Amino acid sequence: MTALLEVTRRFRGRAMIGVAVSRDAVRLVAVNRAGLLVWNRSLSRGRGDVTLAELVGKGLTERPASLRRPMHIACVVGPTEAQLRPLHGLPQLRTAAEQLAVVAESVDRFFVSEGARMRVSAPVRLRAGELWAAAVSRDVVAQVAEACRAHRMRLVGVAPVAAALGHLAAWPRAATMEGAPAPAHVQHVDDGTRLHVLYDAGGLPTRVWRERAPAGTPALEGDVRLPDRLGPTFADAYAATQLRARDPFVIGEHSDAVRRARLARVRTWLWAGLAAAGLIAAAWAPGAIATKRGDLARTRLASLARRQEELRLVQATLGTSSAALNTIASFEASRRSATLLLAELAMTLPDSTAITTLRVDSVGGTLTLLAPRAAAALEAVSALPLVARVQLAGAVTREVTGGVELERASLRFAFQRRRGGQAAVQRDSVSRLAVAAPRDTAASTIRILGASPKPGRVPAPPVLRGATQ
């Protein structure tokens, strides 16, 4: 393993407990997230009445308080109960699952089981093209997993010690300078057996063999790097702390079939949960959307309520104004303009005629005038369109004013009844458009805008005089 890979592992690492299981002892080592050694413990496995699960559980119970929280555990097994070797004679298969199935069905053909049931790892193809696999006693895996469950620990996996020591291998410096690193040779003594392993630059084994170890042989030899405070005896347990679940030759707590079944169950529950969530969302969403829209509508109505109140005030003011205008219009339609009456009288009466008194009400009126001929004045007043009938209110008398003999007469007249407001307004508008132009002394005629004289009749210029002329 290169230095860069080791640094990467340390920075992304986590607190781990490594367990090394051999025939005579169980060793435990704990490292923190930075990969520093924080605790180690060794327990003897000589007594036959204590199971491996109890022994591992005892060691976990004795861990310090700083390691009491749930942690990850990885386990390596000595050469007595675990093996790592190439698979010779394996037929060419396309998938790793098929290769694993063939190896699991023929364990005795590839590994020395000695009657023990073995768990086999997935085959790994090395750079040389060989297929390698690891096998660990099924009882060891089961008991280590039992101890982890009892202490609420997560078992990362179990691997042979020959597969884990590759994380501690150091390649010779001379070979590295030449550009083609030579295999790192690691020698590990366990259970009275010296295990030789050659590792390539990727930390994978290229050759494994065993020999009997004489008494007094060191526990670890070869191209190995260890922390300063860790003895060679705990090298296998420390190597277990470097294992990860996806590393080669690591055997999980459950077999591949169990993992696939568990994954299938998880997927089934996941799809069922998604379907239930979809049904709940489909049932809840319309109501929620309607509630949201209702809230928005209420907010909109609340904002429009103020405008509606303002509109009501404007409508009330407009109604009051309209009523006042209607009253004014009705009053104006119910009365006649005295100014227009005087204008029509002035334009209709003959020349040298003077009106002395004029009294007008809503029905009619009375006027007293002085004229050369009272009959001509009577005829002129009766020709007015506003007047329905005219009659003399008394006797006609003669008077001499300024040396001129005139006739004094009193006329009583009644207005035409209005048949409709539209006709009255139209007549009044026509009357309002009648404008008297200045008298043309030469022709003695009057031009009237908005009204035309009767055919065959040329009106005389009006003269308004006082009591005398």
Side-chain angles (χ1 to χ4, degrees):
M1 182 182 63
T2 62
L4 179 59
L5 181 59
E6 181 180 359
V7 172
T8 305
R9 281 179 175 273
R10 288 192 175 187
F11 274 101
R12 69 176 184 178
R14 53 175 176 260
M16 288 278 295
I17 295 180
V19 179
V21 178
S22 63
R23 185 177 55 184
D24 299 330
V26 174
R27 293 174 287 276
L28 296 91
V29 170
V31 296
N32 57 14
R33 291 181 178 273
L36 301 178
L37 179 66
V38 295
W39 173 72
N40 58 1
R41 183 76 168 87
S42 179
L43 300 173
S44 176
R45 197 183 171 187
R47 298 174 54 186
D49 55 345
V50 179
T51 63
L52 179 60
E54 295 174 350
L55 197 61
V56 174
K58 180 181 178 181
L60 294 176
T61 304
E62 297 176 358
R63 68 186 188 275
S66 60
L67 302 176
R68 290 294 177 179
R69 64 183 183 279
M71 301 179 64
H72 293 72
I73 292 180
C75 179
V76 297
V77 184
T80 303
E81 299 171 300
Q83 303 174 45
L84 178 66
R85 57 176 301 169
L87 303 177
H88 298 293
L90 184 67
Q92 295 293 332
L93 301 174
R94 289 182 295 180
T95 63
E98 295 176 353
Q99 296 172 355
L100 178 60
V102 172
V103 174
E105 291 176 0
S106 306
V107 175
D108 297 337
R109 177 182 174 184
F110 300 100
F111 300 96
V112 180
S113 60
E114 297 180 358
R117 301 177 60 186
M118 308 291 287
R119 285 280 308 277
V120 183
S121 69
V124 178
R125 186 176 297 277
L126 302 184
R127 296 180 181 179
E130 290 183 329
L131 282 176
W132 285 60
V136 180
S137 173
R138 187 182 298 270
D139 294 337
V140 173
V141 178
Q143 294 193 39
V144 172
E146 180 183 351
C148 292
R149 287 193 299 269
H151 290 79
R152 296 182 179 180
M153 300 286 188
R154 178 185 174 184
L155 180 61
V156 174
V158 180
V161 66
L165 291 178
H167 297 291
L168 307 181
W171 286 265
R173 181 177 302 179
T176 305
M177 294 294 292
E178 295 176 359
H185 185 193
V186 179
Q187 304 175 37
H188 176 67
V189 176
D190 188 13
D191 302 336
T193 303
R194 174 183 288 180
L195 182 65
H196 297 263
V197 187
L198 296 180
Y199 297 97
D200 60 8
L204 296 177
T206 59
R207 184 184 176 190
V208 178
W209 71 94
R210 296 188 297 178
E211 62 182 14
R212 184 177 299 276
T217 304
L220 188 67
E221 293 180 319
D223 304 321
V224 181
R225 292 176 300 177
L226 287 177
D228 297 336
R229 297 184 302 168
L230 185 68
T233 306
F234 292 93
D236 48 0
Y238 179 75
T241 61
Q242 310 299 316
L243 291 178
R244 298 295 182 267
R246 296 183 178 275
D247 286 350
F249 312 115
V250 175
I251 301 173
E253 177 181 357
H254 303 286
S255 63
D256 292 343
V258 174
R259 286 196 298 270
R260 285 193 296 269
R262 177 179 293 180
L263 182 60
R265 288 195 301 269
V266 171
R267 289 178 177 175
T268 302
W269 281 107
L270 179 61
W271 284 113
L274 291 176
L279 293 176
I280 294 173
W284 170 80
I289 293 174
T291 303
K292 183 64 175 179
R293 290 180 177 176
D295 295 340
L296 294 177
R298 283 189 290 270
T299 303
R300 181 64 177 171
L301 290 176
S303 63
L304 294 177
R306 296 188 295 271
R307 299 183 182 180
Q308 184 180 11
E309 188 66 25
E310 295 176 359
L311 180 59
R312 289 177 180 175
L313 295 177
V314 172
Q315 288 178 345
T317 306
L318 181 60
T320 304
S321 302
S322 299
L325 292 176
N326 291 333
T327 303
I328 295 172
S330 177
F331 176 74
E332 183 182 1
S334 64
R335 61 185 296 273
R336 301 182 186 274
S337 175
T339 304
L340 295 177
L341 179 61
L342 291 175
E344 292 182 358
L345 288 173
M347 291 186 292
T348 304
L349 291 174
D351 194 12
S352 302
T353 300
I355 298 175
T356 58
T357 60
L358 176 62
R359 293 184 178 88
V360 181
D361 56 16
S362 61
V363 178
T366 304
L367 61 88
T368 302
L369 51 81
L370 292 173
R373 293 181 60 190
L378 177 62
E379 183 182 358
V381 173
S382 63
L384 292 175
L386 297 176
V387 177
R389 66 180 183 276
V390 184
Q391 62 184 1
L392 290 173
V396 177
T397 61
R398 291 181 179 275
E399 295 183 1
V400 178
T401 304
V404 179
E405 186 178 358
L406 299 175
E407 294 181 354
R408 178 183 292 273
S410 296
L411 302 180
R412 179 71 178 174
F413 60 89
F415 292 126
Q416 294 278 359
R417 290 186 178 180
R418 298 183 177 183
R419 296 180 181 178
Q422 184 67 25
V425 172
Q426 184 177 3
R427 185 169 65 250
D428 291 346
S429 62
V430 172
S431 301
R432 288 184 178 88
L433 290 175
V435 179
R439 184 192 307 178
D440 189 352
T441 56
S444 299
T445 59
I446 296 176
R447 293 190 300 270
I448 301 175
L449 300 178
S452 59
K454 293 182 179 179
R457 180 183 177 186
V458 178
V463 178
L464 294 179
R465 305 178 185 274
T468 60
Q469 182 175 356

